[in-house]
């Protein structure tokens, strides 16, 4: 039996994210493609920023009934509460990517890592390691230090 997607609530969070997508489309015209908001099969909405500049990183936002997810360069990203504060984090991460302020590092086995520091000082880190085998090997080898070596390129 096919499941019918449940639409997103018509509230301040949904409105804020849709307005943010429109703002990005206008502000980034000529510097990035803004896809979305697109409705996914489960009723969630996704918006993705695809920059034209080499060395700039894409940002994807997924808006679900119970949470928000924002990611850089198609990684797993960060799960956020579906609140105004969550929307503020989405905006901050996107603004940092647009400004070229995403820190880029290399960890064990040359795994690419991304880090952002939010306006309140909170640091979010995401790792481009999707291989289960590599994760299993690295977990047994103890703590590894990530070497932060550059920042992303601005969109404009």
């Amino acid at each position: 039996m096919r499941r019918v997607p449940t639409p997103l609530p018509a509230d301040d969070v949904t409105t804020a994210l849709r307005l943010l997508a429109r703002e990005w489309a206008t502000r980034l015209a000529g510097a990035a493609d803004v896809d979305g908001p697109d409705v996914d099969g489960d009723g969630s909405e996704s918006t993705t920023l695809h920059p034209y500049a080499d060395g700039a990183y894409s940002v994807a936002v997924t808006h679900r009934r119970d949470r928000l997810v924002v990611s850089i360069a198609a990684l797993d990203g960060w799960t956020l509460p579906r609140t105004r504060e969550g929307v503020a984090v989405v905006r901050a991460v996107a603004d940092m990517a647009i400004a070229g302020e995403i820190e880029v590092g290399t960890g064990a086995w040359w795994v690419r890592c991304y880090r952002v520091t939010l306006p309140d000082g909170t640091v979010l880190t995401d790792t481009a390691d999707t291989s289960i085998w590599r994760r299993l090997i690295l977990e047994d080898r103890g703590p590894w230090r990530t070497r932060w070596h550059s920042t992303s390129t601005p969109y404009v």
Side-chain angles (χ1 to χ4, degrees):
M1 176 184 243
R2 186 172 172 175
R3 219 173 128 196
V4 177
T6 307
L8 295 170
D11 61 6
D12 291 346
V13 173
T14 299
T15 301
L17 289 168
R18 288 175 181 166
L19 288 173
L20 193 54
R22 280 193 217 128
E23 175 190 324
W24 289 331
T26 302
R27 188 169 114 196
L28 298 174
D33 286 331
V34 179
D35 295 337
D38 297 322
V39 178
D40 300 330
D42 62 356
S44 62
E45 289 183 353
S46 298
T47 302
T48 306
L49 310 178
H50 300 282
Y52 300 147
D54 289 336
Y57 292 103
S58 62
V59 175
V61 178
T62 303
H63 174 207
R64 301 181 190 276
R65 290 188 56 77
D66 60 343
R67 66 188 179 277
L68 307 175
V69 179
V70 61
S71 62
I72 298 169
L75 300 183
D76 292 338
W78 303 283
T79 300
L80 306 168
R82 195 182 172 288
T83 61
R84 289 181 189 168
E85 292 78 14
V87 174
V89 172
V90 166
R91 179 184 282 280
V93 170
D95 285 348
M96 291 184 73
I98 292 165
E101 297 173 353
I102 302 296
E103 293 179 84
V104 182
T106 305
W109 297 63
W110 303 277
V111 173
R112 173 90 21 114
C113 304
Y114 302 98
R115 178 170 67 183
V116 295
T117 303
L118 301 177
D120 69 359
T122 303
V123 177
L124 303 176
T125 305
D126 202 0
T127 303
D129 182 19
T130 57
S131 162
I132 186 66
W133 300 110
R134 194 180 281 185
R135 286 184 184 177
L136 290 172
I137 291 168
L138 294 178
E139 285 178 7
D140 291 340
R141 307 273 175 163
W144 295 91
R145 291 184 57 94
T146 299
R147 197 178 101 247
W148 300 100
H149 51 76
S150 63
T151 56
S152 59
T153 302
Y155 281 28
V156 181

